[in-house]
Amino acid sequence: MVAVSIFGFFSLKSAFESDAVKAKTEGRLSKLFKTHISVGRVEYKFFRRLSFSAVQFETNGYVAPQMAFAGVTKIVFGYSWRDVFKKEFFNPETIFFRNPDFQLEVPDVIGWLRKFPFSNLASQTKYTVVLENGSLSWPLAETGQTAGIQKIFGRIEKRSSQEVLIHLKGQFAGNVRGEISCEGTVNPLKKTWDLRVRCTHVEHTSGSARMLRNLTSVFQIRENRFSIEELTFFTASVAWSASGEVDDYFGEFPKFKFRIAESSRLTGGEFTLKLAGDFKQETLRGNLRGWGMDFPIRGGLFTDSAGYGIQNVALGSSVELEAFFLVRDGITRLRLRHGEEQYDIRFSLRSGDLLLDLNANHMQLYGFDISTRAYLRARPEPDSWNSGQLVFNTELSSDYLVFDNAPLDDFKGKAAMTREGFKNLTLTWGTGYKMSGEILFGNPSLVDVRIDALNIVLSETMRFGFHQLPEDLSGMMKGRVHVRGAADNPKIKGRLNIRSGGLKGLTFDKVILNFSGNRRFLQLKNSRIHKAPYTFYVKGGLDFTQPNIFSGIEIVSEDRLPIWRGKDVHSPLPPKDEPVSGGQEGDINRKGF
């Protein structure tokens, strides 16, 4: 009996390992994967297995539309005893792939799943596909890089035309690491899924700013509904959670409802966003709760080939919102309007970059009137994010900025943006103004900044900070001003020096101005003008509630005789009872420094 078995095995081995079988196998594989495939070696093993090694692909093969099969080191076909004795090897009951490499050619993975070719699985043929150390990759449209899953192990078992069992697990690759598993069934005839996808320990790798940390999720895809049963994650030390579901997920007009919550120092309390939408009715409803306020949300939805968006959304009673989500690029674009203010925001989910395009006309900020077209770029600071902090390195530039009716030319700067506020702040404008320090969020917001005037030629700029100077003032100005305290009414203290200048026929060698006060009035102390061999004294203060801020200043001689009065200075600003163009009547009297 043993001799018969040995003889049978070697007879079959000789038959299966023949050049004819090898040629037929290469043809069969080439037809199956739509490319020319050559097999280096054919081995017949254990009576029911045929192994093909040293497999070479002339070009990428395809297992489905836009799903390339880029390579494999070994393929093993397993046969039933019936096929073995009949020497029929065209329909194996088991197909084993070692190190298979699959490549999705489109960045929109969700869109590809919606068009999944169920017809490829609808035949009556039964088989089992076993994967050992497989990989799946897809391109990231925004960065030109790839993302994917590696170390894929598991099996896909086709039991009938109505049941395909899936049991797979793997690890994320690229700039994200973590584990993923997928279990469930697919019905090719009904074109439905019943899958459960679990992700654990998902986070960005240490080579980049770790926007995402410790993500755990459970997703359910059943029939045509996608459900988020569990989703928790951290961005730096901020904890988030989400839940929800999408009906008619693979259809043309899905419906959804989501809840997103956060509780940390980021918002000073709990932040909750609830949304419900219907793409067929193009409606959006919801509620935003946080910062001690409650905002109802009402608006519309739309879709196109690149993604989906919301439009004509009312956030509360005064804010209008539009948003567009580029799914394949991982980009979110927002536009908010509040009165004459407009904010265009662009956020990249993959890189974490935040771009803000601010177009504001008479925006009120801490009582100041600001009109600007400014651009802010914020990038995650990798070391701080990886250590659990939330820091963005920000850069600011502008086409123009008008601060309390005063244009600030070439306004630009940089800062570290944290949950506490802007730190390491540096702003520059004009021919020699520089502000440095920090601005902290809170109630009230706090400022601690220093403004330096570096060799300002007064006859060219004719401005003191944000305010117009007398037309006949000249000289070279240097100085420093400290601003500290609550942002809406800080304490101000400074010293300015002006050399080699003149004022209304009076020439001088040096002017020293020492002052302190608040944004509405700065009192001058120990201030004087030197003109060898004479000294003149500057009395009074700068009154920022008046159109002519110099109206309260007087220059007197050593004998206390007045030689110059600020109230005689012509003010380029509108009088007190005349409204500023584009503003409200009396605004100029409430601004201050």
Side-chain angles (χ1 to χ4, degrees):
M1 183 68 180
V2 174
V4 173
S5 298
I6 293 175
F7 176 77
F9 173 78
F10 280 103
S11 296
L12 292 171
K13 181 178 177 68
S14 176
F16 279 118
E17 293 182 357
S18 65
D19 291 339
V21 170
K22 178 182 176 181
K24 289 182 178 179
T25 301
E26 290 177 338
R28 176 73 171 173
L29 291 173
S30 298
K31 183 178 180 180
L32 179 63
F33 298 119
K34 300 177 179 62
T35 185
H36 178 70
I37 295 178
S38 61
V39 177
R41 186 178 181 183
V42 181
E43 296 180 273
Y44 178 65
K45 295 182 176 182
F46 309 112
F47 285 103
R48 297 173 57 189
R49 295 184 182 177
L50 196 58
S51 173
F52 310 97
S53 55
V55 181
Q56 299 292 324
F57 286 66
E58 185 176 281
T59 59
N60 285 348
Y62 285 87
V63 294
Q66 298 179 313
M67 173 70 81
F69 189 19
V72 64
T73 58
K74 178 179 283 190
I75 302 175
V76 178
F77 287 173
Y79 299 94
S80 64
W81 283 112
R82 175 180 174 278
D83 290 336
V84 168
F85 288 119
K86 289 188 175 183
K87 298 181 182 180
E88 293 179 354
F89 54 89
F90 292 109
N91 294 306
E93 61 178 17
T94 303
I95 307 174
F96 169 88
F97 294 101
R98 176 174 292 168
N99 303 320
D101 180 13
F102 302 101
Q103 297 177 1
L104 191 62
E105 296 178 337
V106 292
D108 185 4
V109 179
I110 302 300
W112 184 83
L113 286 174
R114 286 177 173 169
K115 301 176 182 178
F116 184 80
F118 286 96
S119 58
N120 292 4
L121 303 174
S123 67
Q124 295 294 331
T125 305
K126 299 180 182 180
Y127 57 81
T128 300
V129 176
V130 180
L131 304 179
E132 179 182 280
N133 198 34
S135 63
L136 169 66
S137 62
W138 58 89
L140 300 178
E142 182 191 10
T143 63
Q145 300 175 338
T146 59
I149 303 172
Q150 62 185 5
K151 298 182 180 180
I152 301 174
F153 291 82
R155 57 199 297 122
I156 302 172
E157 182 179 351
K158 185 172 183 296
R159 293 185 171 182
S160 70
S161 61
Q162 299 187 59
E163 185 180 25
V164 177
L165 271 63
I166 296 176
H167 182 85
L168 298 170
K169 63 179 181 178
Q171 298 179 7
F172 288 104
N175 67 344
V176 175
R177 63 188 173 198
E179 300 174 356
I180 181 172
S181 63
C182 177
E183 296 182 353
T185 62
V186 176
N187 188 324
L189 284 184
K190 293 184 178 180
K191 298 183 179 181
T192 58
W193 311 75
D194 188 357
L195 299 176
R196 189 178 182 87
V197 180
R198 178 183 294 274
C199 301
T200 56
H201 310 300
V202 179
E203 61 185 13
H204 280 103
T205 58
S206 57
S208 61
R210 293 164 66 182
M211 293 288 296
L212 188 68
R213 299 175 61 210
N214 199 25
L215 180 145
T216 299
S217 65
V218 177
F219 304 128
Q220 181 81 33
I221 305 175
R222 177 171 294 169
E223 298 294 333
N224 209 6
R225 171 178 289 183
F226 174 85
S227 302
I228 302 175
E229 297 183 358
E230 176 187 356
L231 176 59
T232 60
F233 61 94
F234 285 82
T235 53
S237 57
V238 182
W240 297 85
S241 63
S243 59
E245 60 186 28
V246 182
D247 285 323
D248 197 19
Y249 180 68
F250 296 106
E252 185 177 358
F253 301 110
K255 298 180 182 180
F256 66 85
K257 56 181 179 180
F258 292 113
R259 180 184 184 274
I260 303 172
E262 175 272 335
S263 180
S264 75
R265 290 182 298 161
L266 180 65
T267 57
E270 182 173 301
F271 163 90
T272 305
L273 173 64
K274 296 181 180 180
L275 290 175
D278 186 333
F279 279 95
K280 186 173 184 178
Q281 301 295 327
E282 297 184 340
T283 57
L284 179 71
R285 297 290 185 271
N287 179 270
L288 174 63
R289 180 173 296 172
W291 307 287
M293 294 178 283
D294 198 334
F295 301 97
I297 298 173
R298 298 289 185 271
L301 295 169
F302 68 92
T303 61
D304 67 15
S305 58
Y308 56 93
I310 60 178
Q311 58 188 353
N312 303 322
V313 175
L315 182 60
S317 60
S318 60
V319 178
E320 296 179 10
L321 172 66
E322 294 180 2
F324 188 60
F325 308 95
L326 292 168
V327 176
R328 65 185 183 189
D329 295 335
I331 294 174
T332 298
R333 292 173 178 167
L334 299 174
R335 172 170 290 175
L336 294 101
R337 295 188 183 92
H338 179 253
E340 295 188 71
E341 304 164 27
Q342 179 172 299
Y343 304 83
D344 290 315
I345 303 170
R346 181 181 184 272
F347 178 69
S348 168
L349 181 62
R350 298 190 179 105
S351 67
D353 284 7
L354 176 68
L355 300 177
L356 170 63
D357 180 348
L358 170 61
N359 188 355
N361 187 21
H362 295 287
M363 175 178 68
Q364 300 301 304
L365 182 65
Y366 301 121
F368 294 107
D369 184 273
I370 298 175
S371 296
T372 186
R373 180 65 181 271
Y375 310 93
L376 178 73
R377 183 184 187 95
R379 287 181 170 176
E381 203 287 314
D383 291 339
S384 66
W385 278 70
N386 296 342
S387 63
Q389 301 301 310
L390 190 66
V391 179
F392 287 89
N393 291 324
T394 62
E395 296 178 0
L396 175 69
S397 61
S398 63
D399 291 340
Y400 65 89
L401 188 145
V402 180
F403 191 99
D404 265 1
N405 299 289
L408 306 186
D409 299 329
D410 196 25
F411 189 86
K412 58 187 177 182
K414 59 183 180 180
M417 184 172 65
T418 71
R419 285 174 297 184
E420 290 78 25
F422 289 98
K423 299 182 178 181
N424 302 322
L425 174 69
T426 301
L427 298 173
T428 61
W429 66 93
T431 58
Y433 287 105
K434 177 181 179 181
M435 185 170 75
S436 56
E438 63 182 22
I439 301 174
L440 302 181
F441 307 139
N443 188 18
S445 297
L446 301 177
V447 297
D448 186 355
V449 298
R450 184 185 74 197
I451 302 175
D452 290 302
L454 308 173
N455 298 321
I456 305 298
V457 180
L458 295 177
S459 61
E460 295 178 0
T461 61
M462 296 307 299
R463 289 192 177 278
F464 167 54
F466 310 128
H467 297 274
Q468 189 80 22
L469 293 173
E471 296 177 356
D472 48 4
L473 178 63
S474 63
M476 182 75 72
M477 183 176 71
K478 294 178 63 176
R480 176 168 293 176
V481 180
H482 292 275
V483 182
R484 296 187 178 97
D488 58 350
N489 190 27
K491 295 180 179 179
I492 301 171
K493 184 177 182 179
R495 178 186 176 97
L496 297 175
N497 294 329
I498 305 174
R499 294 182 179 274
S500 304
L503 175 63
K504 200 175 182 180
L506 172 66
T507 60
F508 53 78
D509 301 321
K510 185 178 181 179
V511 174
I512 300 174
L513 300 176
N514 293 291
F515 51 85
S516 62
N518 55 41
R519 53 184 290 188
R520 292 173 176 79
F521 188 84
L522 294 179
Q523 181 67 51
L524 295 173
K525 298 180 181 180
N526 301 321
S527 300
R528 54 198 179 275
I529 298 176
H530 295 286
K531 171 64 175 176
Y534 304 105
T535 298
F536 303 94
Y537 299 93
V538 186
K539 302 293 184 179
L542 296 167
D543 189 346
F544 297 104
T545 66
Q546 299 300 319
N548 176 9
I549 65 174
F550 303 98
S551 61
I553 293 179
E554 186 177 58
I555 300 175
V556 300
S557 67
E558 292 179 333
D559 299 329
R560 309 305 180 187
L561 297 176
I563 62 173
W564 184 89
R565 291 184 175 90
K567 64 182 180 180
D568 298 326
V569 174
H570 170 69
S571 172
L573 299 177
K576 181 176 181 179
D577 58 352
E578 182 180 332
V580 179
S581 177
Q584 296 180 354
E585 184 172 350
D587 274 358
I588 192 65
N589 303 312
R590 299 195 301 270
K591 303 303 183 217
F593 177 76

